[in-house]
Amino acid sequence: MYNNKKKFVLAAIPLAVALGSGSAWADQYSDAAQKWLDSEFTVSTLSEAEQLKEMAWFTEAAKRFRGMEINVASETLTTHKYESQVLAKAFSEITGIKVNHDLIQEGDVVEKLQTQMQSGRNIYDAYVNDSDLIGTHFRYGKVVPISDIMEQHSDLKSPTLDLGDFIGLNFTSGPDGKLYQLPTQQFANLYWFRYDWYQRPELKKQFKEIYGYELGVPVNWSAYEDIAEFFTKHVGEIDGQKVYGHMDYGKKDPSLGWRFTDAWFSMAGAGDKGLPNGLPVDEWGIRVEGCNPVGSSVARGGATNGPAAVYATTKYVDWLRQYAPPEAQGMTFSEAGPVPAQGNVAQQIFWYTAFTADMTQKGLPVVNEDGTPKWRMAPSPRGPYWEEGMKLGYQDVGAWTFMNSTPEDRRLAAWLYAQFTTSKTVSLKKTLVGLTPIRESDINSPEMQEAAPFLGGLVEFYKGPAREQWSPTGTNVPDYPKLAQLWWQYISQAASGEATPQVALNGLAEAQDKVLQRLERAGVHENCGPKLNEPRDEAYWLNQPGAPKAKLANEKPQGKTVDYDALLRSWE
C-alpha cells in the first residue's frame, strides 16, 4: 500500500496493539515517531500503521544504547545532507541515540577510513563509503561484513530491512558471497543531451544531409563524435548563442582520476565480458586469476595500456580540444559540472545523475516554464571495442561500512542508524529529495512516477533493464586508495599534451604494477592478494581471447543513433 500526505491517525487503536504487545513505546518516543510521520515522512511505500510499527521496532532495539552518542561520516551529496540534517535528528528523537553525522569531502572520507584501518584507532563509528572499495574491504579484513553483523546480532536486524528490495547489493558483496556494505545512495553516469534541440526539424534535416542518418541518442562513439562535430562546427549558434557539441574537463586534479576510473575504459570496451564487472580483466585493466590480481600492463595480461584504453584516452583528449568550450581544458570536475545548465552545450557523454536536482531548478536556461527539463538523460554510447555482455558505464554506490576497530556497542548503535536511513519509512522521501534511489519499491512507487516528467529520464532509466550494465569499481582492485591516486597524475599528461596517450598509459600501467608488487611482497591482504605474472611479449596476450584486445583496423564504424522516445517505449 502506498500513501501520500496522510491524515490517518491510529486514534481508535491502542498503541500496545498497533505497535506490538509488551512494547514500552507509549512515551516520548512514540510521540516523536508520530510527529515525524505527520511532518516529514509523509510519503512512503508503507502504510502509516506499518511505518509506526517499523519505528516502534527501532525504539525497542535501541533500548540498550539509549543515551549513547555516536559519530558517522559521509561525503556532501544532497542525499547525505538530508541524512545529516533530518534523519539523524529524527533517529535521535525516536531512539534516544544521538548521532553526529559529519559531512566531509569524499577524499577526506577515504583518508579517515584509511587512517582507521592502518592505526586501529576508532575515528568514526560508521562511514558511508563508496562500494568502489569493495576489493579493498574484503581483502584487508578490517571491515565487519554486514552478513556477519546480521548473523551474530539477529535481534538488531530490522524485520522490515527487506534486503531483496535493494537494487545494489551485488555491488557491495565480495567474491566470498558476503555482504560487506549496505547501500544508502546510488547514482549513475549517463549520456546527457538537449532533447529540445534534437527535436528541431531544421537541425534533424541538416544532420541527416551531412551524416546520412538520423539525429538522435548515439548508440556508439562514432555517432557521439559526429553529433559533437555537428553542433560545434556546422551549427555553431542557436538562438543567438554560441553552442558546443561536447563538455568535459581536463585540469590536473584528483577529479581527473575518477573521470577515467569511473568506467571510461569499459565504455570504450577495454575490459572483458561480465556483470557487474569484467572477468578476468576489469575496467581498470587489472587482470585476476582466481581472485588474485596478476597485473595491469599488457605484458602481464592486463589492459590498462592496451589498444582499447589508448583509443578511449585519445578520444577523451581529441573531443575535449575540438568540441568543448575552450575553458573546459582548465576546469576540474566541480567547475565543469554546472556548465551544461547554462544552455550552450548539446550533449555530454560523461554525466552523473547526481546533478539531476541542480539541473531541474526553475529559471535555468535548460528548464521549461512549467518546470520540465529541456534535456534528457539516456544510456551511454559504447566504443568500438565494446561487446555484448560487458558493463557499459559507472554507477556510484555510497554504502554504510563498519570497521572492526570500532567498539562493538558503538558499531551496533551505528548499524541501527544505518538501517534507519534506508528504512522504508524514510527511503522514498529521501529518494525524492536526493534522487539517488536504492530500493526497487521506491522506484516503482506512484510518487516517483508522478515526479518522472520533471527528472529528465532518471525514473525511466532506473525502472528499465539497462541499469544492470552500470556498476561501480569491482573486486579486481585490491587497494582502491593506493591505486586510484595514480590515475590523475598520468591521465593529466595526456590531457595537457605532455605525453601521448600511449606513453601516459604505459606509465600508469607500470605504476599500478609496482603498487601490486609492493602489496604482494608486504603480504598485507588476508586473502586474494596480488600474485603478479611475469612480463612476456605483448603479442602473446593480444592474441588471446578477450582482454587485452588487439587494435581494430577500423575504430570508427558507421554512426548509429536511436530515437529517445522509441528507446523509452522499448523498456516498457
Side-chain angles (χ1 to χ4, degrees), residues 259-571:
R259 169 65 182 80
F260 276 71
T261 58
D262 285 3
W264 183 241
F265 286 173
S266 76
M267 291 166 66
D272 272 313
K273 296 178 182 179
L275 294 173
N277 302 87
L279 283 173
V281 180
D282 71 353
E283 66 269 24
W284 286 48
I286 297 175
R287 172 180 286 271
V288 295
E289 292 178 2
C291 63
N292 303 103
V294 297
S296 57
S297 61
V298 173
R300 297 182 193 268
T304 305
N305 60 334
V310 172
Y311 162 82
T313 307
T314 301
K315 288 303 173 189
Y316 158 76
V317 172
D318 289 350
W319 295 344
L320 178 63
R321 291 175 183 167
Q322 295 172 22
Y323 307 126
E327 60 271 21
Q329 294 180 53
M331 287 182 166
T332 63
F333 166 78
S334 58
E335 292 165 344
V339 171
Q342 295 169 9
N344 66 337
V345 173
Q347 59 170 359
Q348 187 168 345
I349 193 172
F350 192 88
W351 182 84
Y352 292 96
T353 62
F355 289 133
T356 302
D358 292 337
M359 296 278 280
T360 52
Q361 299 296 319
K362 286 190 176 182
L364 287 175
V366 295
V367 177
N368 294 310
E369 287 186 10
D370 65 358
T372 57
K374 297 178 182 179
W375 54 268
R376 299 289 188 276
M377 63 185 81
S380 318
R382 63 202 67 160
Y385 291 88
W386 190 87
E387 302 171 81
E388 204 65 51
M390 291 182 65
K391 68 178 286 184
L392 189 47
Y394 176 79
Q395 190 162 182
D396 184 287
V397 180
W400 287 106
T401 308
F402 303 91
M403 313 300 291
N404 59 15
S405 52
T406 301
E408 186 176 60
D409 60 337
R410 303 186 66 82
R411 183 168 63 241
L412 293 175
W415 164 236
L416 289 179
Y417 176 62
Q419 291 180 87
F420 182 85
T421 65
T422 60
S423 67
K424 291 184 179 181
T425 291
V426 310
S427 65
L428 179 54
K429 177 62 183 284
K430 187 176 82 167
T431 297
L432 289 167
V433 171
L435 303 178
T436 55
I438 56 169
R439 286 187 176 275
E440 193 85 54
S441 57
D442 291 336
I443 294 166
N444 291 320
S445 69
E447 290 84 358
M448 285 298 287
Q449 195 56 47
E450 186 179 339
F454 301 92
L455 301 179
L458 178 74
V459 177
E460 290 83 354
F461 172 77
Y462 272 102
K463 288 182 77 169
R467 77 168 192 227
E468 300 295 332
Q469 294 174 298
W470 274 255
S471 65
T473 294
T475 56
N476 285 25
V477 181
D479 193 318
Y480 184 96
K482 284 187 174 68
L483 292 166
Q485 65 182 344
L486 301 174
W487 282 68
W488 66 276
Q489 300 173 49
Y490 286 95
I491 296 301
S492 65
Q493 296 176 9
S496 67
E498 177 187 339
T500 64
Q502 182 70 72
V503 170
L505 295 182
N506 287 346
L508 174 60
E510 183 181 357
Q512 284 205 141
D513 284 348
K514 284 181 179 176
V515 170
L516 295 177
Q517 200 164 47
R518 287 199 298 271
L519 292 172
E520 179 180 4
R521 287 172 179 166
V524 292
H525 292 126
E526 285 198 349
N527 53 67
C528 297
K531 293 181 180 179
L532 260 66
N533 284 334
E534 288 299 318
R536 61 194 304 171
D537 189 275
E538 290 186 354
Y540 168 81
W541 289 106
L542 292 171
N543 286 321
Q544 300 299 312
K549 299 170 184 176
K551 184 177 174 62
L552 293 171
N554 176 21
E555 291 183 325
K556 191 176 182 187
Q558 172 63 38
K560 183 180 178 184
T561 59
V562 62
D563 177 74
Y564 179 75
D565 296 305
L567 177 67
L568 293 190
R569 286 194 296 273
S570 74
W571 290 349

Side-chain angles (χ1 to χ4, degrees), residues 230-245:
F230 173 68
F231 278 101
T232 306
K233 298 188 174 178
H234 295 285
V235 177
E237 188 176 290
I238 293 178
D239 300 334
Q241 182 180 32
K242 182 169 178 56
V243 299
Y244 296 90

